[in-house]
Amino acid sequence: FFVFTAINSSAQFKNIKWGMNKAQVIRLDSLKNPVDSGNFLTVIENDGYFNSEKIYEFEEDSLVSVAYIRQRVDKKANTEKYAVDEFKAVYSAFVNTEYGEPYKMAFGGPTYAAWKTPSHKLLIEVVYNEKDGFALRTDYIEPNSIIIGLEK
């Protein structure tokens, strides 16, 4: 399963920091062939077993979130059970670190967990679309941003 490096307040993703512009993110995160669609840069990788999508979101050319979506290449295998099993594994990995228990969580129907730290918010969730099936999505979000649907 996918577990991402815990982030500290000075460096969110290796060399990437909140507020960087697209050019800085492309250069410092060594992005190869990102798709630029306005407020988003997207990079898709395939290792033969999994499709991994990394999505950088910008507001006014300032980085505010990074999302990771992971699915099996075999779309028939992208079942709800697969995504929920991935969720459980990643959830356990985060709970057993400095993140501890999430401040919001739901299981069944919508399945998600959300944490807050001084440097960022973290959201993991099971997502679905008709074309690709179920997937696990992990979002790292700038700490002052609001998670739509979870916060006011």
Side-chain angles (χ1 to χ4, degrees), residues 99-115:
Y99 283 98
E101 291 297 322
Y103 78 96
K104 292 214 176 197
M105 184 173 169
F107 194 79
T111 298
Y112 65 85
W115 290 265

PDB file of all heavy atoms in Angstrom, residues 99-115:
ATOM      1  N   TYR A  99       0.542  11.396  14.052  1.00  0.00           N
ATOM      2  CA  TYR A  99      -0.801  11.877  13.696  1.00  0.00           C
ATOM      3  C   TYR A  99      -1.830  11.469  14.747  1.00  0.00           C
ATOM      4  O   TYR A  99      -2.738  12.208  15.050  1.00  0.00           O
ATOM      5  CB  TYR A  99      -1.229  11.325  12.331  1.00  0.00           C
ATOM      6  CG  TYR A  99      -0.582  12.014  11.163  1.00  0.00           C
ATOM      7  CD1 TYR A  99       0.528  11.468  10.541  1.00  0.00           C
ATOM      8  CD2 TYR A  99      -1.086  13.209  10.670  1.00  0.00           C
ATOM      9  CE1 TYR A  99       1.127  12.094   9.464  1.00  0.00           C
ATOM     10  CE2 TYR A  99      -0.492  13.839   9.595  1.00  0.00           C
ATOM     11  CZ  TYR A  99       0.607  13.273   8.997  1.00  0.00           C
ATOM     12  OH  TYR A  99       1.195  13.895   7.934  1.00  0.00           O
ATOM     13  N   GLY A 100      -1.718  10.256  15.254  1.00  0.00           N
ATOM     14  CA  GLY A 100      -2.660   9.778  16.258  1.00  0.00           C
ATOM     15  C   GLY A 100      -4.061   9.616  15.680  1.00  0.00           C
ATOM     16  O   GLY A 100      -4.242   9.359  14.498  1.00  0.00           O
ATOM     17  N   GLU A 101      -5.057   9.798  16.522  1.00  0.00           N
ATOM     18  CA  GLU A 101      -6.453   9.631  16.103  1.00  0.00           C
ATOM     19  C   GLU A 101      -6.902  10.821  15.244  1.00  0.00           C
ATOM     20  O   GLU A 101      -6.551  11.955  15.532  1.00  0.00           O
ATOM     21  CB  GLU A 101      -7.366   9.502  17.325  1.00  0.00           C
ATOM     22  CG  GLU A 101      -7.171   8.212  18.094  1.00  0.00           C
ATOM     23  CD  GLU A 101      -7.513   6.966  17.292  1.00  0.00           C
ATOM     24  OE1 GLU A 101      -8.490   6.990  16.509  1.00  0.00           O
ATOM     25  OE2 GLU A 101      -6.801   5.954  17.445  1.00  0.00           O
ATOM     26  N   PRO A 102      -7.713  10.574  14.223  1.00  0.00           N
ATOM     27  CA  PRO A 102      -8.206  11.668  13.374  1.00  0.00           C
ATOM     28  C   PRO A 102      -9.222  12.522  14.120  1.00  0.00           C
ATOM     29  O   PRO A 102      -9.842  12.064  15.075  1.00  0.00           O
ATOM     30  CB  PRO A 102      -8.861  10.950  12.204  1.00  0.00           C
ATOM     31  CG  PRO A 102      -9.244   9.618  12.741  1.00  0.00           C
ATOM     32  CD  PRO A 102      -8.216   9.281  13.785  1.00  0.00           C
ATOM     33  N   TYR A 103      -9.397  13.777  13.668  1.00  0.00           N
ATOM     34  CA  TYR A 103     -10.405  14.634  14.281  1.00  0.00           C
ATOM     35  C   TYR A 103     -11.779  14.402  13.663  1.00  0.00           C
ATOM     36  O   TYR A 103     -12.791  14.735  14.254  1.00  0.00           O
ATOM     37  CB  TYR A 103      -9.994  16.114  14.232  1.00  0.00           C
ATOM     38  CG  TYR A 103     -10.176  16.805  12.898  1.00  0.00           C
ATOM     39  CD1 TYR A 103     -11.316  17.554  12.630  1.00  0.00           C
ATOM     40  CD2 TYR A 103      -9.200  16.726  11.923  1.00  0.00           C
ATOM     41  CE1 TYR A 103     -11.477  18.190  11.410  1.00  0.00           C
ATOM     42  CE2 TYR A 103      -9.345  17.366  10.716  1.00  0.00           C
ATOM     43  CZ  TYR A 103     -10.485  18.094  10.455  1.00  0.00           C
ATOM     44  OH  TYR A 103     -10.646  18.716   9.248  1.00  0.00           O
ATOM     45  N   LYS A 104     -11.830  13.804  12.469  1.00  0.00           N
ATOM     46  CA  LYS A 104     -13.100  13.422  11.842  1.00  0.00           C
ATOM     47  C   LYS A 104     -12.889  12.097  11.147  1.00  0.00           C
ATOM     48  O   LYS A 104     -11.855  11.850  10.548  1.00  0.00           O
ATOM     49  CB  LYS A 104     -13.547  14.462  10.815  1.00  0.00           C
ATOM     50  CG  LYS A 104     -13.947  15.774  11.437  1.00  0.00           C
ATOM     51  CD  LYS A 104     -15.069  16.396  10.659  1.00  0.00           C
ATOM     52  CE  LYS A 104     -15.474  17.655  11.412  1.00  0.00           C
ATOM     53  NZ  LYS A 104     -16.741  18.127  11.035  1.00  0.00           N
ATOM     54  N   MET A 105     -13.940  11.248  11.193  1.00  0.00           N
ATOM     55  CA  MET A 105     -13.835   9.947  10.554  1.00  0.00           C
ATOM     56  C   MET A 105     -15.218   9.408  10.266  1.00  0.00           C
ATOM     57  O   MET A 105     -16.164   9.664  11.013  1.00  0.00           O
ATOM     58  CB  MET A 105     -13.085   8.972  11.456  1.00  0.00           C
ATOM     59  CG  MET A 105     -12.859   7.642  10.797  1.00  0.00           C
ATOM     60  SD  MET A 105     -11.805   6.619  11.806  1.00  0.00           S
ATOM     61  CE  MET A 105     -12.026   5.088  10.938  1.00  0.00           C
ATOM     62  N   ALA A 106     -15.343   8.664   9.171  1.00  0.00           N
ATOM     63  CA  ALA A 106     -16.577   7.946   8.845  1.00  0.00           C
ATOM     64  C   ALA A 106     -16.163   6.643   8.184  1.00  0.00           C
ATOM     65  O   ALA A 106     -15.178   6.586   7.457  1.00  0.00           O
ATOM     66  CB  ALA A 106     -17.460   8.763   7.916  1.00  0.00           C
ATOM     67  N   PHE A 107     -16.928   5.603   8.432  1.00  0.00           N
ATOM     68  CA  PHE A 107     -16.645   4.306   7.832  1.00  0.00           C
ATOM     69  C   PHE A 107     -17.945   3.723   7.322  1.00  0.00           C
ATOM     70  O   PHE A 107     -18.919   3.672   8.038  1.00  0.00           O
ATOM     71  CB  PHE A 107     -16.000   3.366   8.851  1.00  0.00           C
ATOM     72  CG  PHE A 107     -15.395   2.162   8.217  1.00  0.00           C
ATOM     73  CD1 PHE A 107     -14.161   2.246   7.591  1.00  0.00           C
ATOM     74  CD2 PHE A 107     -16.064   0.959   8.209  1.00  0.00           C
ATOM     75  CE1 PHE A 107     -13.604   1.146   6.985  1.00  0.00           C
ATOM     76  CE2 PHE A 107     -15.519  -0.147   7.607  1.00  0.00           C
ATOM     77  CZ  PHE A 107     -14.282  -0.061   6.985  1.00  0.00           C
ATOM     78  N   GLY A 108     -17.948   3.286   6.074  1.00  0.00           N
ATOM     79  CA  GLY A 108     -19.167   2.798   5.436  1.00  0.00           C
ATOM     80  C   GLY A 108     -19.913   3.986   4.867  1.00  0.00           C
ATOM     81  O   GLY A 108     -19.924   5.067   5.443  1.00  0.00           O
ATOM     82  N   GLY A 109     -20.506   3.818   3.689  1.00  0.00           N
ATOM     83  CA  GLY A 109     -21.042   4.993   2.991  1.00  0.00           C
ATOM     84  C   GLY A 109     -19.840   5.814   2.608  1.00  0.00           C
ATOM     85  O   GLY A 109     -18.950   5.303   1.952  1.00  0.00           O
ATOM     86  N   PRO A 110     -19.752   7.070   3.040  1.00  0.00           N
ATOM     87  CA  PRO A 110     -18.453   7.707   2.824  1.00  0.00           C
ATOM     88  C   PRO A 110     -17.458   7.106   3.823  1.00  0.00           C
ATOM     89  O   PRO A 110     -17.796   6.871   4.977  1.00  0.00           O
ATOM     90  CB  PRO A 110     -18.714   9.190   3.120  1.00  0.00           C
ATOM     91  CG  PRO A 110     -19.910   9.207   3.996  1.00  0.00           C
ATOM     92  CD  PRO A 110     -20.711   7.975   3.641  1.00  0.00           C
ATOM     93  N   THR A 111     -16.268   6.829   3.351  1.00  0.00           N
ATOM     94  CA  THR A 111     -15.212   6.303   4.211  1.00  0.00           C
ATOM     95  C   THR A 111     -14.038   7.262   4.125  1.00  0.00           C
ATOM     96  O   THR A 111     -13.454   7.430   3.055  1.00  0.00           O
ATOM     97  CB  THR A 111     -14.798   4.886   3.777  1.00  0.00           C
ATOM     98  OG1 THR A 111     -15.931   4.018   3.897  1.00  0.00           O
ATOM     99  CG2 THR A 111     -13.656   4.351   4.622  1.00  0.00           C
ATOM    100  N   TYR A 112     -13.738   7.918   5.246  1.00  0.00           N
ATOM    101  CA  TYR A 112     -12.651   8.894   5.257  1.00  0.00           C
ATOM    102  C   TYR A 112     -12.134   9.090   6.670  1.00  0.00           C
ATOM    103  O   TYR A 112     -12.790   8.727   7.658  1.00  0.00           O
ATOM    104  CB  TYR A 112     -13.105  10.252   4.693  1.00  0.00           C
ATOM    105  CG  TYR A 112     -14.164  10.923   5.535  1.00  0.00           C
ATOM    106  CD1 TYR A 112     -13.816  11.713   6.625  1.00  0.00           C
ATOM    107  CD2 TYR A 112     -15.512  10.750   5.258  1.00  0.00           C
ATOM    108  CE1 TYR A 112     -14.781  12.310   7.415  1.00  0.00           C
ATOM    109  CE2 TYR A 112     -16.489  11.345   6.041  1.00  0.00           C
ATOM    110  CZ  TYR A 112     -16.115  12.131   7.118  1.00  0.00           C
ATOM    111  OH  TYR A 112     -17.077  12.716   7.906  1.00  0.00           O
ATOM    112  N   ALA A 113     -10.949   9.678   6.768  1.00  0.00           N
ATOM    113  CA  ALA A 113     -10.386  10.109   8.049  1.00  0.00           C
ATOM    114  C   ALA A 113      -9.611  11.391   7.779  1.00  0.00           C
ATOM    115  O   ALA A 113      -8.984  11.537   6.725  1.00  0.00           O
ATOM    116  CB  ALA A 113      -9.467   9.041   8.636  1.00  0.00           C
ATOM    117  N   ALA A 114      -9.680  12.323   8.723  1.00  0.00           N
ATOM    118  CA  ALA A 114      -9.008  13.615   8.555  1.00  0.00           C
ATOM    119  C   ALA A 114      -8.246  13.967   9.821  1.00  0.00           C
ATOM    120  O   ALA A 114      -8.734  13.763  10.930  1.00  0.00           O
ATOM    121  CB  ALA A 114     -10.026  14.706   8.233  1.00  0.00           C
ATOM    122  N   TRP A 115      -7.034  14.501   9.630  1.00  0.00           N
ATOM    123  CA  TRP A 115      -6.179  14.926  10.715  1.00  0.00           C
ATOM    124  C   TRP A 115      -5.769  16.374  10.499  1.00  0.00           C
ATOM    125  O   TRP A 115      -5.718  16.844   9.375  1.00  0.00           O
ATOM    126  CB  TRP A 115      -4.890  14.100  10.752  1.00  0.00           C
ATOM    127  CG  TRP A 115      -5.024  12.685  11.151  1.00  0.00           C
ATOM    128  CD1 TRP A 115      -4.854  12.162  12.393  1.00  0.00           C
ATOM    129  CD2 TRP A 115      -5.316  11.565  10.301  1.00  0.00           C
ATOM    130  NE1 TRP A 115      -5.020  10.803  12.376  1.00  0.00           N
ATOM    131  CE2 TRP A 115      -5.315  10.415  11.096  1.00  0.00           C
ATOM    132  CE3 TRP A 115      -5.603  11.438   8.931  1.00  0.00           C
ATOM    133  CZ2 TRP A 115      -5.567   9.144  10.584  1.00  0.00           C
ATOM    134  CZ3 TRP A 115      -5.857  10.174   8.423  1.00  0.00           C
ATOM    135  CH2 TRP A 115      -5.838   9.052   9.247  1.00  0.00           C
TER     136      TRP A 115
END
